[in-house]
Amino acid sequence: MVDKVAGMLAAILILLFTTGCWDRVEIDERGFVIGIAIDTMKDSNGKEGKAAKGQKGEFMVTYQLVVPSGIKQSGSTDSGGGANRAYFNITLDGDTLTSLAAKLASKTSRAPFFEHLQVVLISDEVARKEGAFADTIDYFLRDSEMRRSLKIMVVKGEAKQVLEVKPPNEKLPARFISSAAENTRKSSRMLEESRLGEVHEKLLKRESFLIQLVSVSKDRGDISIIGSALFDGRTNNLIDFIGGRDTAGINLLRGSVSGGVINAEIEGGLVGYEINWERRRLWVEVSDPERPVFHIDIRTKGIVDQSFKQMDMTKEEAIMKLEAALSQKIKSIADNAMNKLQKKYGRDVVDLELFLYRDHYEVWKSIQKDWEEGRKLFTKAKVEVTVESEVQRSGSILKSERRGRSVGDLH
């Protein structure tokens, strides 16, 4: 009897372990969503629907799905209705993103699959609407198919148009946008990528933050990822757009410049300085906790990319003059950005409060509630910026040995 029972249990276990995955979906049965654009729903006259009255909900969402056969084919990058198209867009409207995802499933022959989603584009109208941005981020965080490395971008204008861009060198607009967002080594005016996980942290900590800003040309043939979108840490709503120059200044203040060109004028001539290294050092004086004095020391190294000024680059005097002009130009960019953050917006997105929290916790604890709100101590803090730039060429710094500096002296 015991042997029979043991045999039956063994048979049941074998059946359980050999049945496979009951919920498995074959790869050729999946509809891969690689891009999502979120706008407010418009009425027949092109005006906002319920969103115009300050209510949450009523989104117009565009999903970009891959056509595998179009990717495999070589040659034309036809994005229209031709046989070679590699994607198609579906635009739906509804009250919630959850209901729209379910609605999408009824509009396609393949089950929507979001694990390969690369970028979420949120229009500035949605980002300004009370609670809408946070609700949108919450949806993507709760969905188990979404990755925390997913890129979040704010669009100046209608987000849908960005997914309709027709890049000459890519078959998938969403992939083109995602790749372009990573080109920060070539432009200091681009903000570093805004990832879902990082945005979530800012929302949890109720800290003000920046997100990459993208816009599309009128003919939808090109995009621009210059500047940034500033969000309030208390309301989580979009406050304003930050231009490319001020975004470069913020990048310098944060020590996050990985490339880009700074133009400086020397005796009527223009010189282009390509940055290939930056380091920021930050320290603070807290003798008066309510009026801290921050010192931001910025060091850069780079090469003269282009010069419209005749200079003898072998002479120390010429190099010193060039470096002084470059340092002054970079300081001006950083100072202007800092002044705008303090006086115009009153929002700390250069992590000064975070530095206080880490290095002067007791001071931070006493003023945290009044940093951006209340007495707004951030606007009263003194920030002193110093800059020192070095000019390199062909891997060598163009300075005399008398000045005692080399590439390896700064790390």
Side-chain angles (χ1 to χ4, degrees):
M1 183 65 179
V2 175
D3 292 339
K4 289 184 178 180
V5 173
M8 291 176 65
L9 288 174
I12 292 171
L13 288 173
I14 291 172
L15 286 173
L16 288 174
F17 284 109
T18 57
T19 52
C21 300
W22 64 271
D23 62 344
R24 184 178 66 183
V25 179
E26 298 296 338
I27 191 168
D28 58 353
E29 296 176 359
R30 286 177 168 173
F32 292 98
V33 181
I34 58 169
I36 295 178
I38 304 173
D39 294 291
T40 54
M41 194 170 74
K42 303 292 193 298
D43 60 21
S44 58
N45 296 318
K47 298 180 179 180
E48 292 185 37
K50 292 181 181 179
K53 301 177 182 178
Q55 300 181 20
K56 295 182 184 179
E58 300 238 345
F59 296 104
M60 182 177 71
V61 179
T62 301
Y63 300 88
Q64 187 163 107
L65 292 91
V66 176
V67 179
S69 60
I71 295 179
K72 293 177 182 177
Q73 294 178 10
S74 60
S76 173
T77 58
D78 178 23
S79 59
N84 288 335
R85 71 171 186 172
Y87 73 94
F88 65 96
N89 294 340
I90 293 180
T91 301
L92 305 171
D93 56 68
D95 292 330
T96 66
L97 295 175
T98 304
S99 64
L100 285 171
K103 192 174 182 180
L104 176 65
S106 68
K107 297 289 185 179
T108 61
S109 59
R110 300 178 181 183
F113 185 66
F114 294 90
E115 283 194 9
H116 292 279
L117 181 62
Q118 297 188 14
V119 61
V120 172
L121 305 161
I122 302 173
S123 75
D124 59 317
E125 288 183 348
V126 173
R128 292 182 192 278
K129 190 166 55 172
E130 184 179 354
F133 180 82
D135 288 347
T136 299
I137 297 300
D138 183 68
Y139 163 75
F140 289 103
L141 287 167
R142 290 179 183 275
D143 194 310
S144 60
E145 290 186 0
M146 307 298 178
R147 300 179 181 181
R148 292 181 67 84
S149 60
L150 171 65
K151 295 183 181 72
I152 306 294
M153 305 177 76
V154 171
V155 181
K156 185 183 291 188
E158 189 178 40
K160 175 185 177 181
Q161 293 184 3
V162 180
L163 283 185
E164 294 173 348
V165 70
K166 299 174 181 177
N169 59 336
E170 286 279 359
K171 287 193 172 186
L172 301 173
R175 180 182 292 175
F176 166 71
I177 297 160
S178 178
S179 297
E182 299 173 1
N183 290 335
T184 54
R185 293 191 62 83
K186 291 298 182 180
S187 175
S188 61
R189 298 189 172 209
M190 283 179 63
L191 193 71
E192 56 190 354
E193 310 100 273
S194 308
R195 307 281 182 173
L196 177 62
E198 296 163 357
V199 174
H200 183 215
E201 284 187 28
K202 295 294 185 182
L203 294 175
L204 289 176
K205 294 177 181 177
R206 302 181 69 83
E207 296 176 353
S208 297
F209 57 95
L210 298 172
I211 288 184
Q212 273 191 330
L213 181 65
V214 58
S215 58
V216 63
S217 60
K218 291 183 179 180
D219 62 358
R220 301 179 187 177
D222 194 18
I223 62 170
S224 174
I225 309 179
I226 297 295
S228 51
L230 175 63
F231 283 77
D232 184 285
R234 183 175 56 84
T235 65
N236 300 324
N237 294 340
L238 173 64
I239 298 175
D240 202 355
F241 300 128
I242 304 291
R245 180 186 172 89
D246 288 326
T247 296
I250 293 170
N251 285 334
L252 288 162
L253 291 165
R254 296 164 82 173
S256 58
V257 170
S258 54
V261 177
I262 301 292
N263 293 324
E265 190 173 302
I266 302 176
E267 299 176 352
L270 196 64
V271 174
Y273 175 62
E274 184 177 351
I275 299 174
N276 54 40
W277 182 91
E278 186 217 6
R279 186 194 68 179
R280 179 200 76 164
R281 290 180 61 242
L282 172 63
W283 67 98
V284 61
E285 298 174 28
V286 289
S287 54
D288 181 356
E290 295 190 359
R291 291 184 183 275
V293 180
F294 292 90
H295 298 270
I296 300 178
D297 180 52
I298 298 171
R299 303 287 182 94
T300 70
K301 298 175 187 177
I303 63 172
V304 175
D305 182 68
Q306 189 174 14
S307 176
F308 295 96
K309 170 71 176 175
Q310 293 296 321
M311 300 178 66
D312 186 349
M313 301 295 284
T314 63
K315 292 186 176 181
E316 180 184 12
E317 182 181 354
I319 296 301
M320 290 177 65
K321 185 180 293 186
L322 173 59
E323 290 176 340
L326 291 169
S327 296
Q328 184 58 41
K329 180 68 173 183
I330 292 172
K331 175 176 167 55
S332 174
I333 294 172
D335 282 338
N336 288 339
M338 193 72 238
N339 184 66
K340 189 168 290 187
L341 289 175
Q342 286 187 290
K343 306 308 179 187
K344 183 176 181 179
Y345 300 116
R347 295 294 177 265
D348 176 15
V349 291
V350 294
D351 298 332
L352 299 184
E353 184 185 7
L354 179 61
F355 182 78
L356 286 175
Y357 171 78
R358 289 176 176 173
D359 286 50
H360 300 275
Y361 180 76
E362 292 302 322
V363 172
W364 171 82
K365 192 174 180 180
S366 67
I367 66 173
Q368 59 169 314
K369 294 181 180 178
D370 291 303
W371 187 244
E372 286 188 350
E373 303 300 325
R375 290 176 291 165
K376 299 183 178 180
L377 299 180
F378 168 67
T379 65
K380 302 172 184 177
K382 188 175 182 180
V383 181
E384 297 183 348
V385 178
T386 56
V387 179
E388 185 171 344
S389 299
E390 295 185 16
V391 175
Q392 300 171 290
R393 189 157 187 150
S394 300
S396 301
I397 296 179
L398 298 177
K399 296 183 177 180
S400 70
E401 292 182 3
R402 183 168 59 84
R403 297 183 67 190
R405 302 274 306 282
S406 66
V407 177
D409 289 335
L410 295 178
H411 299 283

